[in-house]
Amino acid sequence: MDNSSSHNLHVVMLSSPEAGHVVPVVALANRLAEQHHVRSTVLLVTTGAPSESKLMNPPRERGLVETIWLPPVDISNLVDPSTKMMTLMCLMMREAVPVVRSAIAAMDRLPDALIVVYFGTDSLQIASEFNMPKFILCTSTAWFLAMSVYFPILDEQMKGPFIDESGHLKIPGCKPVRHEDAVDMMMDRDDQQYHEYLRIGRGLSLSDGILVNTCEDLEAKTLQAFTENDAMNSVCKSPVYPIGPLTRPVESTGFQSDLMDWLDKQPNHSVLFVSFGSGGVLSAEQTLELACGLELSQQRFVWVIRPPKKGHVNDALFPDNIEGTEDDYLPEGFLNRTKNIGILVPTWGQQVEILAHPATGGFMSHCGWNSTLESIVSGVPIIAWPLYAEQRMNATFLVEELGVAVRPEVLPTKKVVGREEIEKMVRTLMEHKDGQGMRDRMMQLKTRATNGLNEGGSSHASMRKILSIIEAKKNATN
Ligand code: UDP
């Protein structure tokens, strides 16, 4: 393919402001530039909230990639304090359609394709208006995609306001989903986010293809359901392309150097990294138990710490956090007693760099899919601590399908995980042969998954198929 940008294919990508979407979108843009010489313009929907630039924290773009921060959309007249995060995201993406259209119309050369994150299906109509092929990027697993696309059928089967609390949700050709692992959005028919999720499920088939941030080596059976299962094919009309793992690359500059200096001095695989994603916040009681559990385990740790929530809920970032410094919510004397084995990183850490460091040997994670993939490509096994969205499915997948994680007996959203159980999980992962077995399996996965991205690999081939569809359409219209 020609390397000069005027002849390159040009793709526009649309992301929500969530870190979990921005990261894979920019990673896809960088991958298209580096491996396929495709030019990308990333459109970021914004709200103008002061915390946004921190949350979005977009990875660095390279070469043929340009990022445009769209003018903020105002959804204040559509929401109230009880509106859930998922609903906020969907409303924001829907209200952004006019600014997305204007941004595309203003481009000096019209793009050759539009790729939107799955919250952005309302913008697919713009691709039709400009006569270009349109794709959806699913930033989670193929298993989550299967459940989302099949959700309208589950909805028809459902009798009351809540999904059936007994047994499992059956998804054609896929591992059934335990009721307690189902995504929050499915839980209550009376909540707006339920209907937003239904809308997403229906919108997924409106595209020319769905790109999924997964690969054959991770989810062969589920991916097969999209090609071979008749019941699945009758609801998912768009072809599915596994193109992952798309992850943020390790940066060699600009990170917390004191932390890196400390990690450099620790033995290989000896440090547990503790972090709950861009928005995970624990309750005050859980934060205390976690600190005590880490201390009891006597393992080295790096903990991205946030002020806990008031009350008992382990959840996502909301403004009712306890104010004050770590001294106000950690056990008395904790900082002093753990100063030789642990480092606290307030609020936000350079996760990819920490996971890639040879000293890191385990990851206590909320199991957001980006964090999960970042752990896989670093070969680091996991203590699965799911909090919200589809993280409970991811945790089950890591434990039951891949065998690379341990998890608490009861979900951390249902019950505070006690210090003894935390100590046991940490020791299992960091000291025991079971943990070593998980590390070995992670290393094998890392090799297979990253090989798939190279020329001749399955994810590389999927990406080539998508690009040939775009090229064919471009040639037909020129
Ligand atoms: N992240 C980070 N530092 C932090 C917290 C999160 O760099 O302290 C990044 C993380 O590496 C990942 C993204 O933010 O790329 C979070 O995405 P994920 O899908 O794991 O979870 P979410 O935050 O969307 O629930």
Side-chain angles (χ1 to χ4, degrees), residues 18-21 23 57 248 275-279 304 306 347-352 366-372 374 388 391:
E18 241 198 334
H21 292 164
V23 166
N57 191 24
R248 182 202 288 258
S275 179
F276 302 100
S278 61
V304 176
R306 302 206 171 109
T347 320
W348 191 268
Q350 298 292 339
Q351 179 164 305
V352 167
H366 72 316
C367 300
W369 188 239
N370 292 292
S371 297
T372 303
E374 288 158 11
Y388 52 92
Q391 294 156 11

Side-chain angles (χ1 to χ4, degrees), residues 176-193:
V177 179
R178 291 191 308 178
H179 170 266
E180 62 178 11
D181 288 347
V183 293
D184 303 323
M185 295 86 86
M186 297 171 70
M187 294 299 188
D188 181 1
R189 238 182 192 154
D190 294 332
D191 193 304
Q192 190 178 345
Q193 65 174 351

Side-chain angles (χ1 to χ4, degrees), residues 13-19 21-22 25 42-49 52-53 56 67-75 88-101 103 116-117 119-120 123 126:
M13 298 185 194
L14 178 66
S15 178
S16 85
E18 241 198 334
H21 292 164
V22 180
V25 165
V42 176
L43 302 179
L44 295 180
V45 173
T46 66
T47 59
E52 198 161 67
S53 56
M56 288 168 79
T67 304
I68 297 177
W69 294 58
L70 294 172
V73 286
D74 180 9
I75 53 165
L88 289 176
M89 255 343 133
C90 293
L91 291 173
M92 213 184 292
M93 296 303 281
R94 199 172 305 144
E95 293 300 302
V97 172
V99 288
V100 175
R101 183 182 290 112
V116 304
V117 291
F119 280 44
S123 285
I126 301 170

Side-chain angles (χ1 to χ4, degrees), residues 64-358:
L64 294 168
V65 183
E66 181 194 12
T67 304
I68 297 177
W69 294 58
L70 294 172
V73 286
D74 180 9
I75 53 165
S76 53
N77 60 337
L78 302 172
V79 299
D80 62 46
S82 68
T83 309
K84 305 250 169 60
M85 189 57 96
M86 159 84 176
T87 306
L88 289 176
M89 255 343 133
C90 293
L91 291 173
M92 213 184 292
M93 296 303 281
R94 199 172 305 144
E95 293 300 302
V97 172
V99 288
V100 175
R101 183 182 290 112
S102 306
I104 293 177
M107 287 175 186
D108 49 2
R109 198 190 98 194
L110 273 185
D112 302 306
L114 176 67
I115 303 177
V116 304
V117 291
Y118 60 95
F119 280 44
T121 47
D122 289 296
S123 285
L124 290 176
Q125 54 180 286
I126 301 170
S128 308
E129 290 162 24
F130 288 106
N131 193 26
M132 56 178 150
K134 46 190 186 296
F135 300 90
I136 293 170
L137 173 64
C138 172
T139 55
S140 190
T141 58
W143 193 28
F144 169 74
L145 172 65
M147 192 181 64
S148 305
V149 94
Y150 200 66
F151 182 45
I153 308 289
L154 294 174
D155 174 64
E156 281 165 21
Q157 294 166 355
M158 204 189 307
K159 301 210 168 55
F162 303 104
I163 58 172
D164 181 8
E165 295 207 10
S166 60
H168 292 67
L169 302 171
K170 294 192 184 69
I171 319 286
C174 302
K175 179 180 170 70
V177 179
R178 291 191 308 178
H179 170 266
E180 62 178 11
D181 288 347
V183 293
D184 303 323
M185 295 86 86
M186 297 171 70
M187 294 299 188
D188 181 1
R189 238 182 192 154
D190 294 332
D191 193 304
Q192 190 178 345
Q193 65 174 351
Y194 181 99
H195 300 279
E196 296 293 350
Y197 188 47
L198 263 184
R199 200 179 147 97
I200 289 178
R202 295 192 184 107
L204 286 166
S205 284
L206 301 175
S207 65
D208 295 308
I210 305 172
L211 291 61
V212 197
N213 194 7
T214 189
C215 60
E216 290 289 344
D217 287 297
L218 289 175
E219 293 196 85
K221 182 173 162 244
T222 309
L223 288 167
Q224 207 175 8
F226 287 107
T227 51
E228 293 177 12
N229 188 293
D230 291 341
M232 182 54 79
N233 280 327
S234 68
V235 286
C236 188
K237 307 272 195 301
S238 307
V240 170
Y241 301 95
I243 45 122
L246 296 168
T247 50
R248 182 202 288 258
V250 178
E251 303 285 355
S252 53
T253 53
F255 43 76
Q256 292 132 349
S257 54
D258 288 353
L259 171 61
M260 290 297 153
D261 289 348
W262 182 81
L263 281 171
D264 286 345
K265 296 192 191 95
Q266 311 309 317
N268 282 358
H269 308 313
S270 69
V271 177
L272 177 75
F273 177 50
V274 181
S275 179
F276 302 100
S278 61
V281 178
L282 304 183
S283 67
E285 195 180 347
Q286 185 64 82
T287 304
L288 197 70
E289 288 303 308
L290 178 51
C292 293
L294 288 173
E295 189 178 348
L296 281 172
S297 80
Q298 283 300 301
Q299 302 300 306
R300 296 175 180 84
F301 64 86
V302 171
W303 181 3
V304 176
I305 189 153
R306 302 206 171 109
K309 274 178 82 86
K310 291 176 183 157
H312 299 280
V313 194
N314 301 313
D315 204 331
L317 194 61
F318 281 109
D320 59 343
N321 294 347
I322 289 174
E323 286 168 16
T325 65
E326 286 97 30
D327 276 335
D328 298 317
Y329 50 80
L330 289 175
E332 208 180 327
F334 174 81
L335 294 175
N336 195 35
R337 289 193 303 276
T338 57
K339 66 176 186 290
N340 293 327
I341 59 164
I343 299 253
L344 297 182
V345 180
T347 320
W348 191 268
Q350 298 292 339
Q351 179 164 305
V352 167
E353 287 73 23
I354 296 169
L355 284 171
H357 196 286

Side-chain angles (χ1 to χ4, degrees), residues 379 437-450:
M438 292 176 208
R439 191 164 299 113
D440 293 343
R441 281 191 286 282
M442 263 304 199
M443 290 307 286
Q444 288 159 13
L445 267 183
K446 168 189 169 156
T447 308
R448 295 206 308 268
T450 48

